[in-house]
Amino acid sequence: MPAFFYGDVPLESAGIRLFFLGLFFGSLLFFSPEAGASTDAMHIRAWKKYRGTQLYALNESGAYCYVTGFMTIDADGAPDAYHPRDEGLDMLKHSGYPDKMWWKTVLVTDPADRQRPFVMPEGPYAGYYLSMTALKNMKKAKTDPLRYVDASKVPYIVFPVTFARKRDVGALGDFGVAVNLDTGMKSGFVVADIGPERHKLGEVSIALAELLGGKNVSPRTGPEKPLGRILYIVFPLSRHLYPWPQERGSIQSIADSLLSSAGGVERLMSPGIVK
């Protein structure tokens, strides 16, 4: 899917990082039972709506959650996502090439001819176009697959561009937790891509769909069957505490830590949110 650029400058100062750490976890502590907060203060409150999906703020901490059964699959960042002969994980038309002007937001351009996509010249994915995600490892070259977030290996979610512009919803590099409410399967994730403005919430990477129980997950067809209701919990500002890049195992550890600090999934199981 289209990957519009939407990022921010990493915070290099240790003092600034400590400030955000104190701000983030201090707010969680202030509204926690251990801090003596009232029952009313601990309630989850209706916050925003986006294209029919209700978002709920968690205890004034800055974190929020939503539930949706809608799901589409993103392959962007996977080195075998798109192929000139349309043999990739995803259909070439979903990259926009060659008919749509926005293909350059999905495929890396050839440094020698910026009117054509870059074709990987060697390695196991030689002959494939190189697709990108909006979240990048800026230390890697533009033609290095390791610069981008591999949808087939890394659990991530996609923000529609109009959602990403909203205040306080977070940004690229923020972390979260997704829970399949029908099976209990859970996974951490990172916000790694920006999608079309008319999309609903619920676009996820191949890896995240698999970790939530999806079988034969494909951007061409979706999972083998609908996965049911998925609870997404997003922790804005967490990108400052844990700057990208992170290993896949670290994503889960970070997500578990953030979720624990917010009181765990059990605190979200209230009428009106999870039915």
Side-chain angles (χ1 to χ4, degrees):
M1 303 305 300
F4 298 88
F5 292 94
Y6 177 84
D8 45 32
V9 178
L11 297 180
E12 299 298 338
S13 165
I16 295 176
R17 289 184 184 177
L18 287 173
F19 168 78
F20 275 103
L21 183 66
L23 177 65
F24 187 81
F25 288 104
S27 62
L28 289 175
L29 177 62
F30 181 80
F31 288 98
S32 69
E34 292 76 10
S38 68
T39 302
D40 289 340
M42 293 190 301
H43 280 327
I44 301 166
R45 60 182 175 86
W47 183 41
K48 301 175 185 281
K49 273 193 175 181
Y50 180 78
R51 297 189 66 83
T53 298
Q54 179 68 59
L55 278 61
Y56 295 87
L58 276 61
N59 314 314
E60 304 295 336
S61 68
Y64 66 93
C65 67
Y66 56 92
V67 176
T68 179
F70 175 79
M71 179 177 285
T72 56
I73 307 300
D74 193 355
D76 290 356
D80 53 347
Y82 302 103
H83 193 279
R85 294 194 297 270
D86 208 7
E87 299 171 353
L89 294 173
D90 203 353
M91 289 182 281
L92 186 57
K93 69 177 184 180
H94 288 167
S95 74
Y97 187 78
D99 300 323
K100 307 297 184 183
M101 295 293 293
W102 45 260
W103 70 263
K104 292 182 181 181
T105 67
V106 179
L107 302 177
V108 176
T109 57
D110 189 330
D113 181 0
R114 298 194 177 277
Q115 300 309 309
R116 301 180 61 181
F118 175 72
V119 176
M120 286 181 277
E122 56 187 7
Y125 302 106
Y128 281 87
Y129 293 136
L130 179 56
S131 69
M132 54 185 164
T133 52
L135 182 63
K136 302 172 178 66
N137 180 352
M138 303 302 288
K139 294 181 179 180
K140 302 293 184 180
K142 292 182 179 179
T143 55
D144 186 343
L146 296 178
R147 180 180 174 93
Y148 311 105
V149 187
D150 187 341
S152 66
K153 296 180 179 178
V154 179
Y156 72 67
I157 68 169
V158 180
F159 278 176
V161 65
T162 44
F163 182 79
R165 292 172 182 154
K166 289 185 174 294
R167 184 177 179 182
D168 299 330
V169 300
L172 294 169
D174 280 330
F175 295 88
V177 178
V179 183
N180 187 327
L181 296 175
D182 294 348
T183 66
M185 299 183 76
K186 181 181 72 172
S187 174
F189 63 75
V190 64
V191 181
D193 213 359
I194 303 296
E197 59 184 27
R198 293 185 177 85
H199 271 207
K200 297 191 292 184
L201 294 171
E203 185 171 4
V204 304
S205 68
I206 296 169
L208 181 54
E210 291 175 343
L211 288 167
L212 294 174
K215 305 295 184 184
N216 299 319
V217 177
S218 168
R220 295 174 180 264
T221 60
E224 190 173 86
K225 61 181 180 179
L227 299 188
R229 303 170 304 154
I230 308 297
L231 168 68
Y232 297 90
I233 309 161
V234 182
F235 297 92
L237 299 182
S238 54
R239 63 192 182 277
H240 299 312
L241 308 179
Y242 308 99
W244 191 257
Q246 299 284 342
E247 297 295 330
R248 174 166 164 162
S250 297
I251 294 173
Q252 188 60 55
S253 298
I254 291 167
D256 286 342
S257 177
L258 292 169
L259 183 61
S260 177
S261 297
V265 174
E266 294 74 14
R267 295 184 71 181
L268 309 183
M269 301 299 175
S270 61
I273 297 178
V274 180
K275 297 182 180 179

